Amino acid sequence: GLATPPRGAPPPRAAGVPPRTDSVAGLPRLDDLSPQATAGLPALTLNLHVYSSDPAQRFVVLNGERYREGGRLAAGPALERITPDGAVLNHNGLRFLLPRD
């Protein structure tokens, strides 16, 4: 017979197709984080948010400074991704969404 994947296994993905990374489902928003989680995190203001389907065209202006995906803010957190919803930041291993307003 045909081999069936074990119950609860994720569906197989086509080889070479990266998972969709623009989803922010499940990520907490900055406003949802506890004071303990944001200790050492400066106030963050998303001044400008530019999203494009071409990653090379994406950038944000945070606290008056321009950043691209993969950059590190002067304030500390890393800018992991720019999505249609805002900027995904990583602060000491804690990933969260700084939403565009």
Side-chain angles (χ1 to χ4, degrees):
L2 294 173
T4 57
R7 201 179 291 266
R13 276 194 299 118
V17 177
R20 181 168 166 78
T21 56
D22 289 342
S23 170
V24 294
L27 274 185
R29 294 162 63 102
L30 177 60
D31 298 341
D32 298 334
L33 299 176
S34 69
Q36 292 85 359
T38 58
L41 195 62
L44 295 170
T45 303
L46 186 55
N47 306 106
L48 181 64
H49 171 267
V50 176
Y51 177 80
S52 167
S53 57
D54 177 5
Q57 302 297 318
R58 301 175 195 168
F59 70 92
V60 293
V61 176
L62 287 161
N63 295 359
E65 299 284 332
R66 181 174 163 151
Y67 298 97
R68 294 190 175 277
E69 291 182 327
R72 183 168 286 280
L73 282 61
L79 174 60
E80 285 194 354
R81 280 205 324 272
I82 298 167
T83 74
D85 301 308
V88 176
L89 299 174
N90 186 321
H91 176 63
N92 296 332
L94 174 71
R95 299 173 68 236
F96 62 90
L97 175 70
L98 182 61
R100 65 181 180 86
D101 291 322

PDB file of all heavy atoms in Angstrom, residues 53-94:
ATOM      1  N   SER A  53       6.462  43.941  -3.063  1.00  0.00           N
ATOM      2  CA  SER A  53       6.646  42.506  -3.288  1.00  0.00           C
ATOM      3  C   SER A  53       8.112  42.208  -3.593  1.00  0.00           C
ATOM      4  O   SER A  53       8.559  41.077  -3.450  1.00  0.00           O
ATOM      5  CB  SER A  53       5.743  42.027  -4.429  1.00  0.00           C
ATOM      6  OG  SER A  53       6.028  42.776  -5.601  1.00  0.00           O
ATOM      7  N   ASP A  54       8.874  43.215  -3.990  1.00  0.00           N
ATOM      8  CA  ASP A  54      10.320  43.079  -4.217  1.00  0.00           C
ATOM      9  C   ASP A  54      11.047  43.456  -2.930  1.00  0.00           C
ATOM     10  O   ASP A  54      11.049  44.618  -2.546  1.00  0.00           O
ATOM     11  CB  ASP A  54      10.749  43.997  -5.365  1.00  0.00           C
ATOM     12  CG  ASP A  54      12.256  43.960  -5.597  1.00  0.00           C
ATOM     13  OD1 ASP A  54      12.961  43.167  -4.935  1.00  0.00           O
ATOM     14  OD2 ASP A  54      12.724  44.742  -6.447  1.00  0.00           O
ATOM     15  N   PRO A  55      11.662  42.468  -2.254  1.00  0.00           N
ATOM     16  CA  PRO A  55      12.312  42.779  -0.965  1.00  0.00           C
ATOM     17  C   PRO A  55      13.334  43.906  -1.056  1.00  0.00           C
ATOM     18  O   PRO A  55      13.535  44.630  -0.095  1.00  0.00           O
ATOM     19  CB  PRO A  55      12.978  41.456  -0.576  1.00  0.00           C
ATOM     20  CG  PRO A  55      12.201  40.405  -1.296  1.00  0.00           C
ATOM     21  CD  PRO A  55      11.743  41.046  -2.592  1.00  0.00           C
ATOM     22  N   ALA A  56      13.967  44.073  -2.199  1.00  0.00           N
ATOM     23  CA  ALA A  56      14.983  45.121  -2.331  1.00  0.00           C
ATOM     24  C   ALA A  56      14.383  46.519  -2.244  1.00  0.00           C
ATOM     25  O   ALA A  56      15.092  47.491  -1.986  1.00  0.00           O
ATOM     26  CB  ALA A  56      15.737  44.955  -3.657  1.00  0.00           C
ATOM     27  N   GLN A  57      13.077  46.611  -2.469  1.00  0.00           N
ATOM     28  CA  GLN A  57      12.413  47.917  -2.438  1.00  0.00           C
ATOM     29  C   GLN A  57      11.825  48.255  -1.066  1.00  0.00           C
ATOM     30  O   GLN A  57      11.307  49.343  -0.866  1.00  0.00           O
ATOM     31  CB  GLN A  57      11.287  47.956  -3.484  1.00  0.00           C
ATOM     32  CG  GLN A  57      11.739  47.681  -4.896  1.00  0.00           C
ATOM     33  CD  GLN A  57      12.714  48.725  -5.395  1.00  0.00           C
ATOM     34  OE1 GLN A  57      12.525  49.917  -5.168  1.00  0.00           O
ATOM     35  NE2 GLN A  57      13.764  48.278  -6.066  1.00  0.00           N
ATOM     36  N   ARG A  58      11.876  47.305  -0.141  1.00  0.00           N
ATOM     37  CA  ARG A  58      11.254  47.528   1.172  1.00  0.00           C
ATOM     38  C   ARG A  58      12.189  48.298   2.093  1.00  0.00           C
ATOM     39  O   ARG A  58      13.380  48.041   2.133  1.00  0.00           O
ATOM     40  CB  ARG A  58      10.940  46.189   1.849  1.00  0.00           C
ATOM     41  CG  ARG A  58      10.018  45.305   1.075  1.00  0.00           C
ATOM     42  CD  ARG A  58       9.861  43.964   1.761  1.00  0.00           C
ATOM     43  NE  ARG A  58       9.261  42.995   0.848  1.00  0.00           N
ATOM     44  CZ  ARG A  58       9.209  41.699   1.062  1.00  0.00           C
ATOM     45  NH1 ARG A  58       9.718  41.185   2.174  1.00  0.00           N
ATOM     46  NH2 ARG A  58       8.648  40.902   0.190  1.00  0.00           N
ATOM     47  N   PHE A  59      11.617  49.227   2.843  1.00  0.00           N
ATOM     48  CA  PHE A  59      12.378  49.866   3.918  1.00  0.00           C
ATOM     49  C   PHE A  59      11.412  50.510   4.894  1.00  0.00           C
ATOM     50  O   PHE A  59      10.229  50.678   4.607  1.00  0.00           O
ATOM     51  CB  PHE A  59      13.390  50.887   3.383  1.00  0.00           C
ATOM     52  CG  PHE A  59      12.772  52.141   2.805  1.00  0.00           C
ATOM     53  CD1 PHE A  59      12.567  53.264   3.590  1.00  0.00           C
ATOM     54  CD2 PHE A  59      12.410  52.192   1.477  1.00  0.00           C
ATOM     55  CE1 PHE A  59      11.999  54.422   3.060  1.00  0.00           C
ATOM     56  CE2 PHE A  59      11.842  53.341   0.929  1.00  0.00           C
ATOM     57  CZ  PHE A  59      11.637  54.457   1.727  1.00  0.00           C
ATOM     58  N   VAL A  60      11.915  50.816   6.067  1.00  0.00           N
ATOM     59  CA  VAL A  60      11.139  51.539   7.059  1.00  0.00           C
ATOM     60  C   VAL A  60      11.998  52.666   7.606  1.00  0.00           C
ATOM     61  O   VAL A  60      13.230  52.618   7.532  1.00  0.00           O
ATOM     62  CB  VAL A  60      10.674  50.633   8.236  1.00  0.00           C
ATOM     63  CG1 VAL A  60       9.659  49.599   7.757  1.00  0.00           C
ATOM     64  CG2 VAL A  60      11.839  49.961   8.917  1.00  0.00           C
ATOM     65  N   VAL A  61      11.336  53.673   8.148  1.00  0.00           N
ATOM     66  CA  VAL A  61      12.020  54.703   8.915  1.00  0.00           C
ATOM     67  C   VAL A  61      11.515  54.569  10.345  1.00  0.00           C
ATOM     68  O   VAL A  61      10.322  54.732  10.607  1.00  0.00           O
ATOM     69  CB  VAL A  61      11.759  56.118   8.355  1.00  0.00           C
ATOM     70  CG1 VAL A  61      12.411  57.169   9.239  1.00  0.00           C
ATOM     71  CG2 VAL A  61      12.283  56.217   6.921  1.00  0.00           C
ATOM     72  N   LEU A  62      12.429  54.173  11.229  1.00  0.00           N
ATOM     73  CA  LEU A  62      12.123  53.981  12.644  1.00  0.00           C
ATOM     74  C   LEU A  62      12.901  55.005  13.447  1.00  0.00           C
ATOM     75  O   LEU A  62      14.122  55.119  13.285  1.00  0.00           O
ATOM     76  CB  LEU A  62      12.532  52.577  13.098  1.00  0.00           C
ATOM     77  CG  LEU A  62      11.650  51.426  12.613  1.00  0.00           C
ATOM     78  CD1 LEU A  62      12.383  50.114  12.724  1.00  0.00           C
ATOM     79  CD2 LEU A  62      10.379  51.382  13.428  1.00  0.00           C
ATOM     80  N   ASN A  63      12.192  55.745  14.301  1.00  0.00           N
ATOM     81  CA  ASN A  63      12.826  56.779  15.125  1.00  0.00           C
ATOM     82  C   ASN A  63      13.685  57.709  14.266  1.00  0.00           C
ATOM     83  O   ASN A  63      14.761  58.133  14.670  1.00  0.00           O
ATOM     84  CB  ASN A  63      13.671  56.151  16.235  1.00  0.00           C
ATOM     85  CG  ASN A  63      12.826  55.385  17.237  1.00  0.00           C
ATOM     86  OD1 ASN A  63      11.616  55.322  17.122  1.00  0.00           O
ATOM     87  ND2 ASN A  63      13.457  54.801  18.228  1.00  0.00           N
ATOM     88  N   GLY A  64      13.206  57.990  13.043  1.00  0.00           N
ATOM     89  CA  GLY A  64      13.890  58.938  12.172  1.00  0.00           C
ATOM     90  C   GLY A  64      15.051  58.361  11.384  1.00  0.00           C
ATOM     91  O   GLY A  64      15.693  59.087  10.627  1.00  0.00           O
ATOM     92  N   GLU A  65      15.327  57.053  11.517  1.00  0.00           N
ATOM     93  CA  GLU A  65      16.437  56.418  10.783  1.00  0.00           C
ATOM     94  C   GLU A  65      15.875  55.393   9.807  1.00  0.00           C
ATOM     95  O   GLU A  65      14.937  54.670  10.128  1.00  0.00           O
ATOM     96  CB  GLU A  65      17.400  55.702  11.750  1.00  0.00           C
ATOM     97  CG  GLU A  65      18.064  56.611  12.766  1.00  0.00           C
ATOM     98  CD  GLU A  65      19.187  57.437  12.161  1.00  0.00           C
ATOM     99  OE1 GLU A  65      19.803  56.997  11.172  1.00  0.00           O
ATOM    100  OE2 GLU A  65      19.448  58.528  12.689  1.00  0.00           O
ATOM    101  N   ARG A  66      16.499  55.320   8.627  1.00  0.00           N
ATOM    102  CA  ARG A  66      16.035  54.388   7.598  1.00  0.00           C
ATOM    103  C   ARG A  66      16.724  53.028   7.756  1.00  0.00           C
ATOM    104  O   ARG A  66      17.938  52.965   7.945  1.00  0.00           O
ATOM    105  CB  ARG A  66      16.348  54.970   6.215  1.00  0.00           C
ATOM    106  CG  ARG A  66      15.894  54.114   5.072  1.00  0.00           C
ATOM    107  CD  ARG A  66      16.108  54.836   3.778  1.00  0.00           C
ATOM    108  NE  ARG A  66      16.060  53.906   2.664  1.00  0.00           N
ATOM    109  CZ  ARG A  66      15.669  54.249   1.445  1.00  0.00           C
ATOM    110  NH1 ARG A  66      15.321  55.489   1.176  1.00  0.00           N
ATOM    111  NH2 ARG A  66      15.668  53.355   0.487  1.00  0.00           N
ATOM    112  N   TYR A  67      15.931  51.956   7.669  1.00  0.00           N
ATOM    113  CA  TYR A  67      16.459  50.598   7.806  1.00  0.00           C
ATOM    114  C   TYR A  67      15.870  49.692   6.733  1.00  0.00           C
ATOM    115  O   TYR A  67      14.726  49.878   6.314  1.00  0.00           O
ATOM    116  CB  TYR A  67      16.100  49.991   9.175  1.00  0.00           C
ATOM    117  CG  TYR A  67      16.686  50.751  10.335  1.00  0.00           C
ATOM    118  CD1 TYR A  67      15.923  51.690  11.017  1.00  0.00           C
ATOM    119  CD2 TYR A  67      17.999  50.537  10.745  1.00  0.00           C
ATOM    120  CE1 TYR A  67      16.456  52.401  12.083  1.00  0.00           C
ATOM    121  CE2 TYR A  67      18.538  51.245  11.808  1.00  0.00           C
ATOM    122  CZ  TYR A  67      17.761  52.175  12.469  1.00  0.00           C
ATOM    123  OH  TYR A  67      18.295  52.872  13.528  1.00  0.00           O
ATOM    124  N   ARG A  68      16.667  48.692   6.358  1.00  0.00           N
ATOM    125  CA  ARG A  68      16.201  47.636   5.460  1.00  0.00           C
ATOM    126  C   ARG A  68      16.122  46.328   6.244  1.00  0.00           C
ATOM    127  O   ARG A  68      16.689  46.217   7.329  1.00  0.00           O
ATOM    128  CB  ARG A  68      17.176  47.463   4.287  1.00  0.00           C
ATOM    129  CG  ARG A  68      17.212  48.661   3.371  1.00  0.00           C
ATOM    130  CD  ARG A  68      18.001  48.341   2.112  1.00  0.00           C
ATOM    131  NE  ARG A  68      17.935  49.446   1.173  1.00  0.00           N
ATOM    132  CZ  ARG A  68      16.930  49.642   0.320  1.00  0.00           C
ATOM    133  NH1 ARG A  68      15.913  48.806   0.289  1.00  0.00           N
ATOM    134  NH2 ARG A  68      16.938  50.656  -0.497  1.00  0.00           N
ATOM    135  N   GLU A  69      15.468  45.316   5.645  1.00  0.00           N
ATOM    136  CA  GLU A  69      15.382  44.008   6.278  1.00  0.00           C
ATOM    137  C   GLU A  69      16.781  43.488   6.587  1.00  0.00           C
ATOM    138  O   GLU A  69      17.691  43.611   5.769  1.00  0.00           O
ATOM    139  CB  GLU A  69      14.653  43.019   5.368  1.00  0.00           C
ATOM    140  CG  GLU A  69      13.184  43.337   5.223  1.00  0.00           C
ATOM    141  CD  GLU A  69      12.453  42.323   4.354  1.00  0.00           C
ATOM    142  OE1 GLU A  69      13.049  41.789   3.408  1.00  0.00           O
ATOM    143  OE2 GLU A  69      11.269  42.085   4.627  1.00  0.00           O
ATOM    144  N   GLY A  70      16.938  42.931   7.782  1.00  0.00           N
ATOM    145  CA  GLY A  70      18.231  42.396   8.188  1.00  0.00           C
ATOM    146  C   GLY A  70      19.104  43.413   8.897  1.00  0.00           C
ATOM    147  O   GLY A  70      20.161  43.063   9.412  1.00  0.00           O
ATOM    148  N   GLY A  71      18.656  44.664   8.955  1.00  0.00           N
ATOM    149  CA  GLY A  71      19.430  45.692   9.635  1.00  0.00           C
ATOM    150  C   GLY A  71      19.221  45.640  11.136  1.00  0.00           C
ATOM    151  O   GLY A  71      18.304  44.996  11.634  1.00  0.00           O
ATOM    152  N   ARG A  72      20.122  46.302  11.849  1.00  0.00           N
ATOM    153  CA  ARG A  72      19.978  46.395  13.306  1.00  0.00           C
ATOM    154  C   ARG A  72      19.800  47.868  13.657  1.00  0.00           C
ATOM    155  O   ARG A  72      20.547  48.714  13.210  1.00  0.00           O
ATOM    156  CB  ARG A  72      21.209  45.814  14.008  1.00  0.00           C
ATOM    157  CG  ARG A  72      21.075  45.824  15.530  1.00  0.00           C
ATOM    158  CD  ARG A  72      22.156  45.003  16.196  1.00  0.00           C
ATOM    159  NE  ARG A  72      21.946  43.569  16.054  1.00  0.00           N
ATOM    160  CZ  ARG A  72      21.112  42.864  16.810  1.00  0.00           C
ATOM    161  NH1 ARG A  72      20.398  43.434  17.748  1.00  0.00           N
ATOM    162  NH2 ARG A  72      20.988  41.562  16.637  1.00  0.00           N
ATOM    163  N   LEU A  73      18.788  48.139  14.470  1.00  0.00           N
ATOM    164  CA  LEU A  73      18.522  49.507  14.872  1.00  0.00           C
ATOM    165  C   LEU A  73      19.613  50.004  15.812  1.00  0.00           C
ATOM    166  O   LEU A  73      20.174  49.217  16.582  1.00  0.00           O
ATOM    167  CB  LEU A  73      17.170  49.593  15.591  1.00  0.00           C
ATOM    168  CG  LEU A  73      15.909  49.587  14.724  1.00  0.00           C
ATOM    169  CD1 LEU A  73      15.755  48.331  13.911  1.00  0.00           C
ATOM    170  CD2 LEU A  73      14.685  49.816  15.587  1.00  0.00           C
ATOM    171  N   ALA A  74      19.860  51.290  15.749  1.00  0.00           N
ATOM    172  CA  ALA A  74      20.804  51.889  16.692  1.00  0.00           C
ATOM    173  C   ALA A  74      20.362  51.591  18.117  1.00  0.00           C
ATOM    174  O   ALA A  74      21.178  51.417  19.019  1.00  0.00           O
ATOM    175  CB  ALA A  74      20.881  53.396  16.452  1.00  0.00           C
ATOM    176  N   ALA A  75      19.041  51.472  18.303  1.00  0.00           N
ATOM    177  CA  ALA A  75      18.479  51.223  19.627  1.00  0.00           C
ATOM    178  C   ALA A  75      18.647  49.773  20.081  1.00  0.00           C
ATOM    179  O   ALA A  75      18.357  49.470  21.221  1.00  0.00           O
ATOM    180  CB  ALA A  75      16.996  51.595  19.622  1.00  0.00           C
ATOM    181  N   GLY A  76      19.039  48.865  19.185  1.00  0.00           N
ATOM    182  CA  GLY A  76      19.286  47.496  19.613  1.00  0.00           C
ATOM    183  C   GLY A  76      18.583  46.395  18.854  1.00  0.00           C
ATOM    184  O   GLY A  76      19.228  45.458  18.425  1.00  0.00           O
ATOM    185  N   PRO A  77      17.231  46.453  18.709  1.00  0.00           N
ATOM    186  CA  PRO A  77      16.569  45.315  18.076  1.00  0.00           C
ATOM    187  C   PRO A  77      16.949  45.170  16.602  1.00  0.00           C
ATOM    188  O   PRO A  77      17.309  46.147  15.950  1.00  0.00           O
ATOM    189  CB  PRO A  77      15.076  45.602  18.233  1.00  0.00           C
ATOM    190  CG  PRO A  77      14.957  47.019  18.631  1.00  0.00           C
ATOM    191  CD  PRO A  77      16.287  47.483  19.134  1.00  0.00           C
ATOM    192  N   ALA A  78      16.862  43.941  16.116  1.00  0.00           N
ATOM    193  CA  ALA A  78      17.116  43.664  14.701  1.00  0.00           C
ATOM    194  C   ALA A  78      15.810  43.756  13.928  1.00  0.00           C
ATOM    195  O   ALA A  78      14.759  43.356  14.425  1.00  0.00           O
ATOM    196  CB  ALA A  78      17.726  42.275  14.545  1.00  0.00           C
ATOM    197  N   LEU A  79      15.877  44.289  12.715  1.00  0.00           N
ATOM    198  CA  LEU A  79      14.722  44.348  11.819  1.00  0.00           C
ATOM    199  C   LEU A  79      14.748  43.082  10.971  1.00  0.00           C
ATOM    200  O   LEU A  79      15.555  42.955  10.061  1.00  0.00           O
ATOM    201  CB  LEU A  79      14.798  45.596  10.935  1.00  0.00           C
ATOM    202  CG  LEU A  79      13.738  45.717   9.845  1.00  0.00           C
ATOM    203  CD1 LEU A  79      12.342  45.741  10.432  1.00  0.00           C
ATOM    204  CD2 LEU A  79      13.984  46.955   9.005  1.00  0.00           C
ATOM    205  N   GLU A  80      13.899  42.114  11.327  1.00  0.00           N
ATOM    206  CA  GLU A  80      13.898  40.833  10.614  1.00  0.00           C
ATOM    207  C   GLU A  80      13.198  40.930   9.272  1.00  0.00           C
ATOM    208  O   GLU A  80      13.700  40.438   8.274  1.00  0.00           O
ATOM    209  CB  GLU A  80      13.212  39.752  11.453  1.00  0.00           C
ATOM    210  CG  GLU A  80      14.053  39.258  12.587  1.00  0.00           C
ATOM    211  CD  GLU A  80      13.490  37.970  13.181  1.00  0.00           C
ATOM    212  OE1 GLU A  80      12.389  37.526  12.791  1.00  0.00           O
ATOM    213  OE2 GLU A  80      14.178  37.401  14.042  1.00  0.00           O
ATOM    214  N   ARG A  81      11.997  41.503   9.266  1.00  0.00           N
ATOM    215  CA  ARG A  81      11.192  41.517   8.049  1.00  0.00           C
ATOM    216  C   ARG A  81      10.350  42.771   8.006  1.00  0.00           C
ATOM    217  O   ARG A  81       9.958  43.305   9.034  1.00  0.00           O
ATOM    218  CB  ARG A  81      10.227  40.318   8.042  1.00  0.00           C
ATOM    219  CG  ARG A  81      10.838  39.015   7.640  1.00  0.00           C
ATOM    220  CD  ARG A  81       9.830  38.034   7.065  1.00  0.00           C
ATOM    221  NE  ARG A  81       8.503  38.061   7.661  1.00  0.00           N
ATOM    222  CZ  ARG A  81       8.143  37.355   8.726  1.00  0.00           C
ATOM    223  NH1 ARG A  81       9.002  36.619   9.380  1.00  0.00           N
ATOM    224  NH2 ARG A  81       6.902  37.416   9.168  1.00  0.00           N
ATOM    225  N   ILE A  82      10.050  43.180   6.781  1.00  0.00           N
ATOM    226  CA  ILE A  82       9.059  44.225   6.554  1.00  0.00           C
ATOM    227  C   ILE A  82       7.897  43.537   5.854  1.00  0.00           C
ATOM    228  O   ILE A  82       8.080  42.909   4.816  1.00  0.00           O
ATOM    229  CB  ILE A  82       9.639  45.368   5.710  1.00  0.00           C
ATOM    230  CG1 ILE A  82      10.805  46.026   6.459  1.00  0.00           C
ATOM    231  CG2 ILE A  82       8.551  46.385   5.375  1.00  0.00           C
ATOM    232  CD1 ILE A  82      11.638  46.952   5.611  1.00  0.00           C
ATOM    233  N   THR A  83       6.737  43.588   6.463  1.00  0.00           N
ATOM    234  CA  THR A  83       5.551  42.925   5.922  1.00  0.00           C
ATOM    235  C   THR A  83       4.506  43.980   5.578  1.00  0.00           C
ATOM    236  O   THR A  83       4.667  45.153   5.938  1.00  0.00           O
ATOM    237  CB  THR A  83       4.958  41.952   6.966  1.00  0.00           C
ATOM    238  OG1 THR A  83       4.314  42.727   7.989  1.00  0.00           O
ATOM    239  CG2 THR A  83       6.024  41.056   7.577  1.00  0.00           C
ATOM    240  N   PRO A  84       3.434  43.583   4.910  1.00  0.00           N
ATOM    241  CA  PRO A  84       2.368  44.560   4.631  1.00  0.00           C
ATOM    242  C   PRO A  84       1.794  45.174   5.906  1.00  0.00           C
ATOM    243  O   PRO A  84       1.240  46.265   5.874  1.00  0.00           O
ATOM    244  CB  PRO A  84       1.308  43.735   3.885  1.00  0.00           C
ATOM    245  CG  PRO A  84       2.068  42.594   3.292  1.00  0.00           C
ATOM    246  CD  PRO A  84       3.173  42.289   4.271  1.00  0.00           C
ATOM    247  N   ASP A  85       1.942  44.461   7.037  1.00  0.00           N
ATOM    248  CA  ASP A  85       1.341  44.913   8.292  1.00  0.00           C
ATOM    249  C   ASP A  85       2.249  45.798   9.128  1.00  0.00           C
ATOM    250  O   ASP A  85       1.799  46.423  10.089  1.00  0.00           O
ATOM    251  CB  ASP A  85       0.930  43.704   9.138  1.00  0.00           C
ATOM    252  CG  ASP A  85      -0.060  42.819   8.402  1.00  0.00           C
ATOM    253  OD1 ASP A  85      -1.073  43.341   7.922  1.00  0.00           O
ATOM    254  OD2 ASP A  85       0.195  41.611   8.296  1.00  0.00           O
ATOM    255  N   GLY A  86       3.539  45.790   8.839  1.00  0.00           N
ATOM    256  CA  GLY A  86       4.458  46.572   9.657  1.00  0.00           C
ATOM    257  C   GLY A  86       5.852  45.984   9.616  1.00  0.00           C
ATOM    258  O   GLY A  86       6.248  45.363   8.631  1.00  0.00           O
ATOM    259  N   ALA A  87       6.580  46.155  10.719  1.00  0.00           N
ATOM    260  CA  ALA A  87       7.961  45.690  10.813  1.00  0.00           C
ATOM    261  C   ALA A  87       8.062  44.612  11.886  1.00  0.00           C
ATOM    262  O   ALA A  87       7.561  44.792  12.990  1.00  0.00           O
ATOM    263  CB  ALA A  87       8.885  46.862  11.159  1.00  0.00           C
ATOM    264  N   VAL A  88       8.710  43.492  11.541  1.00  0.00           N
ATOM    265  CA  VAL A  88       8.945  42.423  12.510  1.00  0.00           C
ATOM    266  C   VAL A  88      10.337  42.641  13.093  1.00  0.00           C
ATOM    267  O   VAL A  88      11.344  42.624  12.372  1.00  0.00           O
ATOM    268  CB  VAL A  88       8.849  41.026  11.857  1.00  0.00           C
ATOM    269  CG1 VAL A  88       9.200  39.944  12.874  1.00  0.00           C
ATOM    270  CG2 VAL A  88       7.448  40.805  11.291  1.00  0.00           C
ATOM    271  N   LEU A  89      10.382  42.868  14.403  1.00  0.00           N
ATOM    272  CA  LEU A  89      11.635  43.135  15.098  1.00  0.00           C
ATOM    273  C   LEU A  89      11.975  41.970  16.012  1.00  0.00           C
ATOM    274  O   LEU A  89      11.100  41.227  16.447  1.00  0.00           O
ATOM    275  CB  LEU A  89      11.518  44.425  15.919  1.00  0.00           C
ATOM    276  CG  LEU A  89      11.230  45.695  15.116  1.00  0.00           C
ATOM    277  CD1 LEU A  89      10.992  46.874  16.042  1.00  0.00           C
ATOM    278  CD2 LEU A  89      12.347  45.999  14.151  1.00  0.00           C
ATOM    279  N   ASN A  90      13.266  41.838  16.307  1.00  0.00           N
ATOM    280  CA  ASN A  90      13.739  40.801  17.216  1.00  0.00           C
ATOM    281  C   ASN A  90      14.569  41.483  18.290  1.00  0.00           C
ATOM    282  O   ASN A  90      15.614  42.072  18.002  1.00  0.00           O
ATOM    283  CB  ASN A  90      14.575  39.771  16.452  1.00  0.00           C
ATOM    284  CG  ASN A  90      14.971  38.587  17.320  1.00  0.00           C
ATOM    285  OD1 ASN A  90      15.299  38.728  18.493  1.00  0.00           O
ATOM    286  ND2 ASN A  90      14.958  37.415  16.732  1.00  0.00           N
ATOM    287  N   HIS A  91      14.072  41.430  19.524  1.00  0.00           N
ATOM    288  CA  HIS A  91      14.737  42.050  20.672  1.00  0.00           C
ATOM    289  C   HIS A  91      15.170  40.940  21.620  1.00  0.00           C
ATOM    290  O   HIS A  91      14.329  40.325  22.274  1.00  0.00           O
ATOM    291  CB  HIS A  91      13.780  43.027  21.362  1.00  0.00           C
ATOM    292  CG  HIS A  91      14.315  43.652  22.615  1.00  0.00           C
ATOM    293  ND1 HIS A  91      15.421  44.459  22.604  1.00  0.00           N
ATOM    294  CD2 HIS A  91      13.888  43.588  23.894  1.00  0.00           C
ATOM    295  CE1 HIS A  91      15.652  44.870  23.859  1.00  0.00           C
ATOM    296  NE2 HIS A  91      14.739  44.350  24.651  1.00  0.00           N
ATOM    297  N   ASN A  92      16.464  40.651  21.644  1.00  0.00           N
ATOM    298  CA  ASN A  92      16.996  39.584  22.513  1.00  0.00           C
ATOM    299  C   ASN A  92      16.261  38.258  22.315  1.00  0.00           C
ATOM    300  O   ASN A  92      15.936  37.567  23.273  1.00  0.00           O
ATOM    301  CB  ASN A  92      16.918  40.004  23.989  1.00  0.00           C
ATOM    302  CG  ASN A  92      17.786  41.212  24.280  1.00  0.00           C
ATOM    303  OD1 ASN A  92      18.794  41.436  23.615  1.00  0.00           O
ATOM    304  ND2 ASN A  92      17.396  41.997  25.261  1.00  0.00           N
ATOM    305  N   GLY A  93      15.955  37.919  21.064  1.00  0.00           N
ATOM    306  CA  GLY A  93      15.296  36.652  20.776  1.00  0.00           C
ATOM    307  C   GLY A  93      13.782  36.709  20.810  1.00  0.00           C
ATOM    308  O   GLY A  93      13.114  35.753  20.423  1.00  0.00           O
ATOM    309  N   LEU A  94      13.217  37.817  21.249  1.00  0.00           N
ATOM    310  CA  LEU A  94      11.761  37.993  21.263  1.00  0.00           C
ATOM    311  C   LEU A  94      11.327  38.674  19.971  1.00  0.00           C
ATOM    312  O   LEU A  94      11.742  39.800  19.700  1.00  0.00           O
ATOM    313  CB  LEU A  94      11.344  38.845  22.468  1.00  0.00           C
ATOM    314  CG  LEU A  94       9.858  39.218  22.517  1.00  0.00           C
ATOM    315  CD1 LEU A  94       9.019  37.994  22.830  1.00  0.00           C
ATOM    316  CD2 LEU A  94       9.620  40.304  23.544  1.00  0.00           C
TER     317      LEU A  94
END
